[in-house]
Amino acid sequence: MAASYSVKILLIEDNLAEARLLQEFLKQAQTKEFSLVHVQRLRDAFSELSQQIYDVILLDLTLPDSQGLSSLPLLISHAPSTPIVVLTNTNDEELAIEAVRQGAQDYLVKRQVNPDVLVRSVRYAIERKQVLEQLRTVNQALETRVEERTAELVKAKEINQFKSEFVSMLSHDIRNPLNTILLAAGLLQNSDEKLTKEKKVNHLRMIRSAIKNMAQLLDEVSFIGKADSGKLHSQLSQIDLEAFCHQTLEELHLTALDKQVTIEFTSFGDFKDTLWDESLLRHILENLLSNAIKYSHPGSKVKFELISQDKTVTFRVQDSGIGISKHDQKRLFQPFNRGENVGSISGTGMGLAIVKKCVEAHGGEISVDSQVGVGTTFTVILPLIKM
């Protein structure tokens, strides 16, 4: 024999006689077993709803602490999943219909209520509310899916646009050195007898430089592609970090000397027995220091700090060069992105994108603080891994 199910009803009615009559009607019902709790005030109903869940609420629209429809939205906010049947007098039927429009599941005119009408209204209200809740759940799931799909389409559009821009910029940057090679090679081929030895050497130097620039550009593009495909991983080995920084500065000494820029290096902390990826570190430091030198004014100073803490190491490169505008900082780490104020200073716009990828592959973070005409400071924080 199946277990009986008790329908829990919360009756909100200030008239005791009508409340007893409704309770008697429920006792006479043969189809279901009902459990009714009666309160006379709206505030008491809120207290009941906070303590247990009811299957249906019977609500009188004329209460001492709430008149008309004002009690309906308050009840719905306290128990949004519980169906509500409003109780009204004969001359308030229009009010009851408006209550149904605003969220009640049904209404009963008190003088027309009998056991069958009451039970049928309670049952229909519960079933109707369940259907509405199911529809609401389905609608929410559909809305979420539509939002997710829309986001996917927007992302795909952004990726396609970026790929298009990437190819366009790559083609543009390769075309310049190619034109240089073609021009110089054409002069060597067509005017060989007229050219002096010095001019021939100069043209060959231009060709070699253009080839070197193209090779560098393709290497950088390949590096970005490798990082984006998830193939860039750190390979740790023991490195004397302070000595590594000195070595990097030594390699950039002639570049700084040619630009008349002084590099001031300071280190703080213990760097012994630590593990690093030499290739990733080299990309990070060479790009940041090269940029600092490149965009500094002749006769200025670049500060390079190495700071070791308990769990992290910080690299800070500060220059007093041309600076980066707030607008350019938004796309600073995207490939081929260069500041509007770089003028004739050469560059591919790939360096900082590579730095960002290397920092992420090393599990670190990079930030920038810059002001046009004042200078730029890049801060890289990497996790400290000890042997």
Side-chain angles (χ1 to χ4, degrees):
M1 188 173 180
S4 61
Y5 170 68
S6 177
V7 177
K8 295 179 182 178
I9 301 174
L10 177 61
L11 172 62
I12 312 171
E13 170 65 77
D14 65 316
N15 188 309
L16 294 178
E18 291 181 346
R20 281 196 294 270
L21 180 62
L22 291 171
Q23 193 165 14
E24 185 61 31
F25 284 162
L26 292 173
K27 288 181 180 178
Q28 295 175 22
Q30 300 296 319
T31 56
K32 281 196 175 184
E33 185 177 331
F34 297 94
S35 170
L36 185 139
V37 173
H38 171 227
V39 295
Q40 294 178 271
R41 300 287 188 276
L42 192 62
R43 63 174 180 271
D44 297 329
F46 294 152
S47 177
E48 279 293 327
L49 290 169
S50 66
Q51 295 178 35
Q52 62 176 313
I53 298 174
Y54 285 87
D55 296 302
V56 67
I57 298 172
L58 300 178
L59 170 65
D60 181 19
L61 289 178
T62 55
L63 298 171
D65 58 346
S66 178
Q67 292 294 315
L69 295 175
S70 61
S71 56
L72 186 60
L74 296 173
L75 266 179
I76 292 175
S77 66
H78 274 75
S81 299
T82 306
I84 299 174
V85 176
V86 296
L87 304 171
T88 181
N89 297 317
T90 306
N91 59 346
D92 290 333
E93 192 165 357
E94 289 184 5
L95 186 66
I97 293 173
E98 181 60 28
V100 172
R101 288 198 188 100
Q102 295 189 20
Q105 270 61 57
D106 200 359
Y107 72 93
L108 291 173
V109 179
K110 292 181 181 180
R111 293 181 181 273
Q112 299 174 2
V113 176
N114 59 47
D116 291 338
V117 170
L118 179 59
V119 171
R120 184 169 62 250
S121 179
V122 168
R123 185 175 71 248
Y124 285 173
I126 294 173
E127 291 175 354
R128 195 173 296 123
K129 186 66 174 180
Q130 288 174 344
V131 170
L132 288 174
E133 286 297 305
Q134 290 172 357
L135 286 173
R136 185 177 63 83
T137 301
V138 170
N139 283 337
Q140 283 183 342
L142 287 173
E143 287 176 5
T144 301
R145 182 59 189 140
V146 168
E147 290 175 359
E148 291 174 350
R149 183 57 181 157
T150 301
E152 289 172 1
L153 291 173
V154 170
K155 187 65 176 177
K157 184 178 179 181
E158 290 176 351
I159 291 173
N160 287 333
Q161 183 178 353
F162 175 74
K163 286 181 178 178
S164 177
E165 292 176 354
F166 189 92
V167 171
S168 176
M169 288 182 286
L170 179 59
S171 299
H172 175 269
D173 285 355
I174 286 181
R175 190 178 296 114
N176 287 336
L178 273 177
N179 287 338
T180 300
I181 293 170
L182 288 172
L183 178 61
L187 289 171
L188 287 171
Q189 181 180 9
N190 300 324
S191 306
D192 180 57
E193 296 177 357
K194 299 178 183 179
L195 296 176
T196 64
K197 183 178 180 181
E198 183 181 353
K199 286 188 176 181
K200 289 180 181 180
V201 170
N202 185 50
H203 289 328
L204 289 171
R205 187 182 297 115
M206 289 171 58
I207 292 174
R208 284 196 296 268
S209 177
I211 292 173
K212 181 180 178 183
N213 290 338
M214 286 178 59
Q216 179 186 352
L217 180 61
L218 292 174
D219 284 344
E220 290 174 342
V221 170
S222 176
F223 188 94
I224 294 292
K226 185 178 179 181
D228 287 340
S229 63
K231 297 178 181 178
L232 186 64
H233 304 290
S234 61
Q235 298 178 350
L236 302 178
S237 60
Q238 186 179 3
I239 294 175
D240 184 333
L241 195 56
E242 192 170 10
F244 183 83
C245 290
H246 279 293
Q247 180 187 343
T248 304
L249 290 173
E250 185 64 29
E251 293 169 359
L252 293 170
H253 175 68
L254 291 178
T255 304
L257 194 63
D258 183 60
K259 192 66 186 286
Q260 302 175 37
V261 172
T262 304
I263 302 179
E264 183 183 278
F265 175 58
T266 53
S267 61
F268 307 91
D270 181 19
F271 306 98
K272 295 178 181 178
D273 301 325
T274 55
L275 299 176
W276 305 96
D277 185 301
E278 183 176 351
S279 177
L280 296 180
L281 274 183
R282 191 173 300 281
H283 280 297
I284 294 170
L285 297 183
E286 284 186 353
N287 276 293
L288 290 181
L289 289 167
S290 294
N291 280 352
I293 295 169
K294 182 191 299 183
Y295 298 110
S296 288
H297 302 296
S300 62
K301 181 185 294 184
V302 170
K303 293 183 179 179
F304 177 28
E305 293 181 313
L306 173 63
I307 305 168
S308 176
Q309 296 172 306
D310 289 340
K311 296 182 179 180
T312 61
V313 163
T314 300
F315 302 90
R316 185 172 290 115
V317 178
Q318 179 183 3
D319 66 60
S320 52
I322 63 175
I324 307 165
S325 70
K326 295 295 182 184
H327 173 73
D328 287 331
Q329 288 179 37
K330 295 176 182 178
R331 301 182 62 186
L332 191 62
F333 298 105
Q334 294 184 12
F336 294 110
N337 183 64
R338 302 195 71 207
E340 296 176 350
N341 60 336
V342 297
S344 61
I345 302 174
S346 63
T348 63
M350 300 287 286
L352 289 177
I354 289 174
V355 170
K356 176 78 169 176
K357 299 294 184 182
C358 291
V359 169
E360 291 174 347
H362 226 303
E365 299 175 351
I366 183 170
S367 61
V368 60
D369 180 22
S370 186
Q371 186 176 343
V372 174
V374 177
T376 303
T377 300
F378 282 97
T379 302
V380 173
I381 301 176
L382 302 180
L384 187 63
I385 304 174
K386 294 188 176 183
M387 293 183 63

